[in-house]
Amino acid sequence: MSLFEDQRQDLQRQALARMPAMKTAPFRNDKESMDRSCCENMTGETAGSCVDHAPTDLLDLDWKDIGQRSQKHANDADTSTRNVDLFDDIFVEKNPAAQPENAVEEQTQTHASFKAFEKGGLTLTMALSQDQLSPEKMEITCNFLNHTITDFNHFVFQAAVPKYVFMELKPPSATTIPANSNWIVTQVIKVNNTVSSKPLMMRVKIQYMVGNRQIIEEAQISSFPLQ
């Protein structure tokens, strides 16, 4: 080894010997150590303002990526706006009201009416209602009208049908038919024709009082309009 090299090493050792001893602490770059150091170096109100948030370095932000995300959101919003037609279906009812049951029933009903009897100022008109889904069934509403100037009291109506027809005779709405056509008395008959190849026939009997005189009328209906 040369003399020059020996002198250089001696100078380095002397310099190190003159330096004070230093304790070296491991470097920690975590959030906890930074926050603790911040709070330990502050007192009073300054220490109270120390918050537990990691510093944000603006240089770490990728501005190009942020710009791309912002432009993407703007394009998505613009596309969704263009796809919405403010005048789309403005005349279409979005939530149509439920159709009443009687309206649905009305669509399946067939109606007809005819004058079944007329005599002595009394008229009987029958209004027929037949269900298209069950044509063998029919509801007959009998309307009685008094065209005279005297009331018909103690009104009684009877009906008879063939054995293959089931009949239900409801009570009348009143037992007096007012004079001068002031009021219609109604009575409902429900029939079910169990043999579709045979027609519905009916024999009726009408009884009422005019003063002290009793009136009894009979008639036969051989066919009905909906048969």
Side-chain angles (χ1 to χ4, degrees):
M1 180 179 299
S2 64
L3 179 61
F4 178 78
E5 184 68 24
D6 291 339
Q7 292 177 353
R8 187 178 66 81
Q9 291 181 358
D10 290 339
L11 291 175
Q12 289 179 349
R13 284 194 292 271
Q14 293 175 6
L16 291 174
R18 287 195 297 269
M19 293 178 62
M22 297 178 63
K23 293 184 180 181
T24 303
F27 177 75
R28 293 189 299 172
N29 192 24
D30 58 346
K31 178 178 181 296
E32 179 182 357
S33 61
M34 297 174 67
D35 292 342
R36 184 182 297 111
S37 176
C38 172
C39 294
E40 288 176 353
N41 294 330
M42 296 183 182
T43 59
E45 296 180 357
T46 305
S49 64
C50 183
V51 294
D52 188 17
H53 293 293
T56 301
D57 189 353
L58 296 180
L59 297 179
D60 291 338
L61 297 177
D62 189 347
W63 294 103
K64 180 180 179 181
D65 180 66
I66 292 176
Q68 291 176 349
R69 291 199 300 269
S70 301
Q71 184 63 32
K72 181 178 182 300
H73 294 323
N75 293 338
D76 293 343
D78 183 62
T79 302
S80 62
T81 302
R82 288 198 304 269
N83 291 336
V84 175
D85 188 356
L86 298 180
F87 295 96
D88 183 34
D89 295 336
I90 61 174
F91 296 107
V92 178
E93 189 176 2
K94 299 300 182 181
N95 297 316
Q99 191 175 17
E101 294 182 1
N102 57 351
V104 176
E105 181 180 354
E106 189 71 18
Q107 294 176 0
T108 64
Q109 297 290 323
T110 302
H111 303 279
S113 63
F114 68 102
K115 186 178 292 186
F117 176 82
E118 183 175 16
K119 186 177 180 182
L122 175 67
T123 59
L124 165 60
T125 303
M126 290 187 172
L128 313 178
S129 177
Q130 186 179 52
D131 192 345
Q132 296 178 2
L133 301 178
S134 302
E136 72 279 0
K137 297 180 180 180
M138 183 185 300
E139 183 174 286
I140 305 171
T141 302
C142 301
N143 300 297
F144 300 91
L145 195 59
N146 179 7
H147 300 281
T148 69
I149 60 174
T150 306
D151 291 344
F152 294 165
N153 299 313
H154 305 290
F155 166 75
V156 177
F157 174 76
Q158 294 175 311
V161 293
K163 293 183 179 181
Y164 57 83
V165 178
F166 294 144
M167 182 185 70
E168 180 183 2
L169 183 62
K170 300 290 186 177
S173 59
T175 58
T176 297
I177 307 176
N180 302 315
S181 307
N182 286 333
W183 192 261
I184 297 177
V185 175
T186 62
Q187 190 163 358
V188 176
I189 307 173
K190 291 185 177 182
V191 295
N192 183 2
N193 189 354
T194 61
V195 182
S196 59
S197 60
K198 295 184 179 182
L200 172 64
M201 296 184 295
M202 183 179 297
R203 188 167 183 84
V204 299
K205 182 178 181 180
I206 306 171
Q207 180 177 329
Y208 56 93
M209 298 289 293
V210 180
N212 295 325
R213 183 165 56 98
Q214 185 181 43
I215 306 295
I216 299 176
E217 302 287 355
E218 293 185 2
Q220 182 169 323
I221 305 171
S222 300
S223 62
F224 288 80
L226 299 181
Q227 294 294 304

